[in-house]
Amino acid sequence: MAPTPHQAKQAKAKLISGGKQPKARVQRYLKTTESQLKEGAKGSLLLKGIRCSDAMSTILKDMRSVQAPHAKLLSKNNMIVPFDDEGQQSLEFLTTKNDASVFALASHNKKRPNNLVMGRTFDRRVLDMVELGILQYRSVGDFPGLPKQRVGSKPLLQFVGDVWSSDINLKRLQNLLIDFYRGDPVDSLILSGLDHVMVFTAAEASIGGVEPSPIIHQRTYYMKLKKDPKGGKSPVPYLTPSGPDMDFKVRRTEFASPDLWKLAMKQPQGVKAKKKKNQTTNIFGETIGRLHLERQDIDSRSGKKSKALRMADKLDKAEAKAALEDELGREEEEMDNEFQQAYGFSKGDM
Amino acid sequence: MARRKATARMSKKKEVEVEEASTSSASVAESEAEEESDTNDHSEEEEASDVQSEEEEEGSDEEVNSSDEESSGEEESDDESPENSDDVNTDSVGQNEQCTFDLGNLLSFNTHQVNAAELYRGGSMKNNLNKEWYELRPPTIEASKASALPNPVNESMLLAKAAEGTTQLLRELWKLPTEKTDLGLLAKLPTAETRLPRMLPPPPPKQLTKWEQFALQRGIAPKGKQSRKVFDEATGEWKHLTGSLDNKANAGPESWPILEVKKNDDPMQDPWEKLREEKKSRVGKNTESRMRNAERAGNLEKGTANRMMKNVKKQEKQKVLMRQKEREMGLVAPVGVPVDMRSGGEKAQRGKPSTQLALKATQTSTASLGRFDKQIEGEPERQLNKNTKKRKLDPSVTGNTNKKYLQTEAQKSQDILSKVMNGSKQKDKDVKKGKYAKGETAYDYDFDDGLGSGSFKKKKGRAGAGKMKKLTKKRIM
């Protein structure tokens, strides 16, 4: 239950102005909802639209099993029209509250049968949305007896076809699909744990239409690594179909404006690997470093004073005070003398 | 070579297109074409059937011409090694389509054209795969005739392409630097090439607080980590630094029962009260400076610190005034020093009333405000404040948007309105009793005859019911 930006602001203000701190567990969770330098896996939210058929529900269930544990499936129908402002607001709210940044909304009606809207958010606002019309679907249950992938394993993704790079819509769709199915972004991987491949083949099917609309075939295969009979180091995969197979085409799209896209792609400076400039290795193999110091302002620096210095300070001050008092005393005497001279009697006699 | 002749038989247009296609497509494709032209010499028989299929599909010219060679290459190798396809299905496809990779994301891109004709070829007997795996059960969503999907899809072709891409990707992955762990071979992946948008914008750089700026300028090092528990001299135990006075380490003078009066102290002042007030002022200062730092950093709206300080000062003033008033009016027992020792002893009360007030004060100064405390035998009933119910605050104040609550609020205001418009039972009763009577007249309650309501006498029986008023329908609001 991540807080909406408004709630987060209020909570922060309350904390600062002397409010009670939440429990440690809650604090740790809230930290994960804030922006981080290096981001982890994208949580996905799977929703049902205004009316959803059983088939579409199985699609969502399969998606959840593929994307587990980062996926959340909501069971109730939602009155959301995704290409509407109101609908987008609802989506933004739901994704924020469920810690998701990628969503899929399934619906079915006469005008748009077997509709799936996939999208993602940036900064708790909708970034991209693509509406897909599913032409054929084979769920995980349609391949009984065949081996399936383990929960949470990372897939090998593959994009076949030249249309992926030529069509603008498909370019963005490719990006979105990678985001959806990538899983945890990792630095290192145990290679024997790879067990499934997802292949997206895009083919141009021109059937009478003026503009050919590409059809995309998504196939998921369970991969068994076998030793290369030719004796290479890398294994050879043996693929069997498993998991969700989907044939779809793109219906409507609402991609991000170039400004928002640029903002979303901006990476923080800390993530880039920096080259160490001040280290050199000499011919003896010793690593030598150079320290570059800033200009030090010695005058305004304060150090720790020893007791003797403090005492000395005190004595100085006392001396100065005494001297001052002496001066004042002398001044008074002088004034007194003047007074006597002027008036005949001293000030004290008055 | 035979391939080129076959194409030359077709119209000149297509010839031109072939050349265009070969030059426009990637250089890799060209090299492939050269490769395959060699293998074409082996099996000329199949070309006849291919030529036929070529002549059929004139719609997608470019695709047919340029990817023709590829598909033929695949087909040939299919026939060459049919047995191996059972065991390892990569052998069925030669390494003819080179893919590009993004190893950081385990991606592979096969940017060669897909032969749509091959893909949607229907009823081919070579598709053993279809029967074996894809016809175990009917698909969840069937491809209908209305849909644009040309049925059926050549699954074996898709699988072949997938297998090839995967082998190449695995080959690249196994080239990566690895280290042996107890779970297996751990490969270090390079940074991902495909850039993906972030979930949230990157965190803003932290702003230094006023103290941190000063420390940086003067070269004062930060404090360093404090240990969780500190040795408490008084009790000889290890205690936390923070907590209640009983559980705190080195609690300090607030917890000591006896305090010395030092040179500059006023002997008449409560030293513990003084300490409490000092602590309060310190805490207030701390919150104020934290708020100002947050404002500077942008975490808090500008001006909230000032508002908070103003409010705090206002409240304190009010409190002080209220206390003074209460003491003057004698509602509250005198606090602190005994009455006869105080300088302003005129207004202070002595004796029974003062003691009673003091007793009342002590009886209600418990957590439950004296409601559940035991009473001694013979003690008179306690005079407690009767208004100890929890107030129901307005939701606009608490920020509570509980629907149930809003409904009751709406209901309340509706009730009031209906009572005003239509009259309530209670009001009728009161009218009969004579509360609203303006004069002496018995049955006309609204008439003011100038004699005063005190002399109103309620009549019994029918006369007391008053004039028969027109019954109006209660309006449903």
Side-chain angles (χ1 to χ4, degrees):
Chain A
M1 270 290 179
T4 56
H6 180 65
Q7 285 176 331
K9 228 183 181 179
Q10 278 190 333
K12 234 187 197 174
K14 238 187 179 181
L15 249 187
I16 291 167
S17 54
K20 207 165 87 167
Q21 286 204 356
K23 291 185 199 170
R25 181 163 45 91
V26 177
Q27 272 187 318
R28 265 177 269 135
Y29 165 70
L30 288 175
K31 228 183 176 182
T32 61
T33 59
E34 287 170 20
S35 49
Q36 295 152 350
L37 270 181
K38 202 178 181 194
E39 291 183 337
K42 287 199 176 180
S44 73
L45 185 68
L46 307 171
L47 300 159
K48 293 190 196 177
I50 295 172
R51 190 193 290 147
C52 193
S53 57
D54 275 346
M56 295 307 285
S57 307
T58 42
I59 290 184
L60 291 180
K61 279 185 198 165
D62 285 345
M63 265 191 182
R64 191 237 268 141
S65 64
V66 164
Q67 288 191 309
H70 305 293
K72 194 160 191 185
L73 173 63
L74 299 182
S75 48
K76 270 188 140 189
N77 285 25
N78 298 292
M79 306 291 285
I80 296 177
V81 180
F83 289 87
D84 229 6
D85 270 338
E86 269 184 39
Q88 290 193 4
Q89 275 181 21
S90 312
L91 281 170
E92 285 163 13
F93 175 76
L94 284 168
T95 48
T96 314
K97 279 290 162 183
N98 287 296
D99 306 324
S101 53
V102 142
F103 62 86
L105 183 80
S107 65
H108 179 80
N109 50 24
K110 210 170 179 184
K111 192 178 176 189
R112 292 178 220 278
N114 302 322
N115 208 30
L116 185 72
V117 178
M118 296 192 6
R120 57 188 159 187
T121 62
F122 169 71
D123 198 14
R124 312 191 197 281
R125 283 148 52 208
V126 167
L127 181 69
D128 279 347
M129 276 199 300
V130 180
E131 188 178 59
L132 309 169
I134 297 172
L135 306 167
Q136 192 184 72
Y137 183 74
R138 286 202 156 85
S139 99
V140 179
D142 289 339
F143 295 97
L146 293 169
K148 306 274 156 58
Q149 53 141 352
R150 274 169 83 180
V151 169
S153 66
K154 230 169 121 77
L156 295 175
L157 295 166
Q158 203 175 343
F159 288 88
V160 179
D162 63 331
V163 213
W164 286 113
S165 40
S166 56
D167 192 345
I168 308 168
N169 283 346
L170 288 193
K171 252 193 203 170
R172 282 291 185 85
L173 178 63
Q174 184 184 54
N175 202 300
L176 179 70
L177 288 168
I178 297 170
D179 232 346
F180 217 79
Y181 290 112
R182 176 170 72 143
D184 261 312
V186 283
D187 289 330
S188 51
L189 191 70
I190 296 215
L191 295 173
S192 50
L194 297 167
D195 60 3
H196 71 296
V197 193
M198 276 192 159
V199 188
F200 297 89
T201 317
E204 291 228 21
S206 52
I207 301 170
V210 182
E211 266 186 44
S213 56
I215 297 182
I216 299 150
H217 306 274
Q218 176 191 333
R219 295 283 179 274
T220 319
Y221 301 105
Y222 176 77
M223 179 174 75
K224 195 168 180 191
L225 299 172
K226 291 198 170 179
K227 258 199 167 175
D228 194 354
K230 293 174 188 167
K233 206 176 165 190
S234 60
V236 155
Y238 177 57
L239 301 177
T240 37
S242 82
D245 287 348
M246 195 154 64
D247 297 338
F248 55 86
K249 68 171 186 178
V250 177
R251 279 187 186 150
R252 288 187 288 180
T253 61
E254 194 176 298
F255 291 126
S257 61
D259 303 328
L260 191 59
W261 184 251
K262 233 187 179 180
L263 259 179
M265 293 297 251
K266 222 179 178 182
Q267 300 289 343
Q269 283 179 343
V271 179
K272 286 189 213 162
K274 282 193 178 163
K275 203 178 147 193
K276 283 195 171 175
K277 284 193 215 165
N278 60 346
Q279 277 186 11
T280 49
T281 318
N282 66 3
I283 45 168
F284 300 111
E286 298 165 335
T287 321
I288 298 172
R290 285 179 139 235
L291 279 175
H292 298 269
L293 297 171
E294 287 175 6
R295 198 169 156 273
Q296 292 183 343
D297 198 6
I298 303 168
D299 300 328
S300 68
R301 289 270 168 148
S302 71
K304 197 166 185 186
K305 275 187 173 170
S306 62
K307 195 168 184 181
L309 284 175
R310 272 183 276 146
M311 299 291 277
D313 248 354
K314 257 191 184 173
L315 288 172
D316 280 341
K317 276 191 183 168
E319 268 186 43
K321 210 177 177 186
L324 197 73
E325 288 198 349
D326 271 349
E327 273 263 355
L328 284 172
R330 255 183 274 139
E331 275 186 29
E332 256 204 72
E333 270 188 50
E334 274 189 38
M335 285 191 61
D336 240 6
N337 286 338
E338 282 182 26
F339 191 87
Q340 193 163 32
Q341 282 181 5
Y343 298 105
F345 54 90
S346 67
K347 234 187 185 174
D349 296 344
M350 279 206 306
Chain B
M1 293 296 117
R3 163 70 59 223
R4 291 275 152 85
K5 280 186 194 167
T7 52
R9 269 181 235 144
M10 297 165 113
S11 60
K12 280 191 179 176
K13 250 192 185 177
K14 289 200 178 173
E15 243 190 276
V16 172
E17 279 165 13
V18 167
E19 286 176 17
E20 279 183 23
S22 60
T23 49
S24 61
S25 61
S27 56
V28 191
E30 252 193 272
S31 58
E32 283 166 38
E34 285 172 40
E35 270 181 61
E36 270 130 66
S37 56
D38 296 325
T39 56
N40 282 352
D41 292 327
H42 293 294
S43 45
E44 292 179 30
E45 296 164 7
E46 290 154 51
E47 282 172 18
S49 56
D50 281 339
V51 171
Q52 281 174 13
S53 59
E54 264 179 52
E55 287 173 355
E56 281 170 17
E57 293 115 11
E58 289 183 8
S60 45
D61 289 317
E62 251 192 278
E63 283 173 50
V64 172
N65 286 325
S66 59
S67 55
D68 216 36
E69 284 128 322
E70 294 171 0
S71 61
S72 61
E74 286 172 36
E75 275 189 85
E76 279 154 36
S77 40
D78 251 337
D79 289 331
E80 276 170 19
S81 50
E83 297 151 65
N84 291 1
S85 60
D86 284 314
D87 210 18
V88 182
N89 43 17
T90 49
D91 254 22
S92 54
V93 180
Q95 289 138 24
N96 43 9
E97 289 183 10
Q98 183 61 29
C99 308
T100 49
F101 306 104
D102 174 8
L103 293 172
N105 281 327
L106 305 177
L107 274 172
S108 70
F109 303 97
N110 183 341
T111 47
H112 299 288
Q113 280 185 353
V114 171
N115 187 355
E118 182 68 31
L119 188 59
Y120 301 124
R121 179 192 294 204
S124 173
M125 281 301 112
K126 285 171 191 169
N127 301 347
N128 289 326
L129 276 169
N130 277 20
K131 279 199 179 158
E132 204 181 298
W133 289 319
Y134 289 93
E135 281 168 26
L136 286 167
R137 276 202 198 149
T140 310
I141 297 177
E142 288 247 22
S144 57
K145 284 181 186 173
S147 71
L149 182 72
N151 206 20
V153 181
N154 188 347
E155 299 290 343
S156 55
M157 179 181 166
L158 289 175
L159 194 138
K161 291 222 172 200
E164 197 199 307
T166 322
T167 11
Q168 290 185 20
L169 179 60
L170 286 175
R171 211 178 294 143
E172 292 299 316
L173 280 175
W174 253 259
K175 285 182 191 168
L176 290 170
T178 57
E179 62 175 61
K180 280 193 177 169
T181 62
D182 49 350
L183 291 165
L185 209 66
L186 185 77
K188 211 179 173 199
L189 298 171
T191 47
E193 284 158 21
T194 33
R195 289 171 67 210
L196 296 164
R198 284 177 62 96
M199 279 192 275
L200 292 166
K206 246 189 173 180
Q207 277 241 351
L208 294 173
T209 60
K210 198 129 190 246
W211 165 254
E212 282 171 356
Q213 281 175 13
F214 180 75
L216 204 69
Q217 187 201 23
R218 290 297 214 99
I220 302 165
K223 239 194 213 173
K225 271 198 171 179
Q226 291 173 318
S227 60
R228 230 175 260 199
K229 289 208 171 178
V230 180
F231 189 68
D232 178 30
E233 296 292 341
T235 49
E237 289 171 353
W238 287 88
K239 289 186 181 172
H240 294 277
L241 280 167
T242 54
S244 63
L245 287 177
D246 299 336
N247 301 327
K248 209 155 96 161
N250 309 324
E254 318 99 56
S255 63
W256 300 341
I258 302 170
L259 283 173
E260 285 179 5
V261 176
K262 296 210 179 126
K263 263 200 286 180
N264 298 328
D265 281 350
D266 174 20
M268 297 305 151
Q269 199 205 19
D270 186 353
W272 293 278
E273 200 179 301
K274 186 181 174 196
L275 286 166
R276 263 180 272 136
E277 280 178 12
E278 279 175 3
K279 173 144 195 186
K280 243 189 180 177
S281 74
R282 265 183 281 137
V283 166
K285 214 179 169 199
N286 195 341
T287 35
E288 198 200 332
S289 54
R290 274 201 298 156
M291 286 178 90
R292 288 206 196 280
N293 276 326
E295 274 182 24
R296 230 173 281 125
N299 293 337
L300 210 60
E301 275 179 29
K302 304 243 168 181
T304 43
N306 284 334
R307 252 183 284 144
M308 193 201 79
M309 294 314 294
K310 271 191 191 171
N311 269 337
V312 162
K313 279 186 189 166
K314 220 196 214 176
Q315 280 177 4
E316 276 182 23
K317 266 192 189 171
Q318 281 187 346
K319 257 192 191 173
V320 167
L321 281 173
M322 279 296 286
R323 278 216 186 106
Q324 279 182 0
K325 267 192 194 172
E326 282 177 351
R327 282 190 199 139
E328 282 169 21
M329 290 200 286
L331 293 169
V332 175
V335 169
V337 182
V339 161
D340 41 3
M341 288 182 76
R342 266 217 269 143
S343 43
E346 296 169 6
K347 291 182 186 172
Q349 292 168 328
R350 297 189 68 182
K352 202 178 179 186
S354 158
T355 322
Q356 277 182 340
L357 284 173
L359 181 66
K360 189 182 172 189
T362 49
Q363 278 173 347
T364 50
S365 43
T366 56
S368 55
L369 302 173
R371 280 170 82 187
F372 305 112
D373 295 332
K374 283 184 197 163
Q375 288 182 328
I376 311 168
E377 271 187 59
E379 193 186 324
E381 214 185 280
R382 285 207 191 127
Q383 292 171 338
L384 305 167
N385 195 3
K386 287 182 185 175
N387 304 333
T388 47
K389 263 192 190 175
K390 252 193 181 177
R391 283 189 297 146
K392 276 192 178 172
L393 291 170
D394 201 14
S396 60
V397 168
T398 57
N400 183 17
T401 49
N402 188 3
K403 265 191 186 171
K404 223 184 186 179
Y405 196 84
L406 290 176
Q407 278 171 358
T408 53
E409 275 288 304
Q411 197 62 42
K412 275 186 193 170
S413 21
Q414 275 183 18
D415 285 346
I416 292 166
L417 183 64
S418 69
K419 278 183 192 171
V420 168
M421 303 295 280
N422 309 322
S424 59
K425 276 186 187 173
Q426 190 61 40
K427 195 184 175 188
D428 291 341
K429 281 188 192 170
D430 287 341
V431 165
K432 281 189 197 160
K433 280 186 193 168
K435 271 192 188 174
Y436 292 95
K438 288 178 186 160
E440 203 186 59
T441 318
Y443 36 80
D444 196 347
Y445 301 93
D446 294 336
F447 179 63
D448 187 10
D449 51 9
L451 295 169
S453 59
S455 49
F456 171 76
K457 286 172 190 170
K458 185 175 182 259
K459 297 284 180 188
K460 283 187 183 176
R462 275 187 65 199
K467 264 192 189 171
M468 292 284 280
K469 286 198 174 165
K470 275 191 204 165
L471 290 167
T472 53
K473 246 188 181 177
K474 265 199 175 179
R475 269 191 278 161
I476 304 162
M477 299 299 285

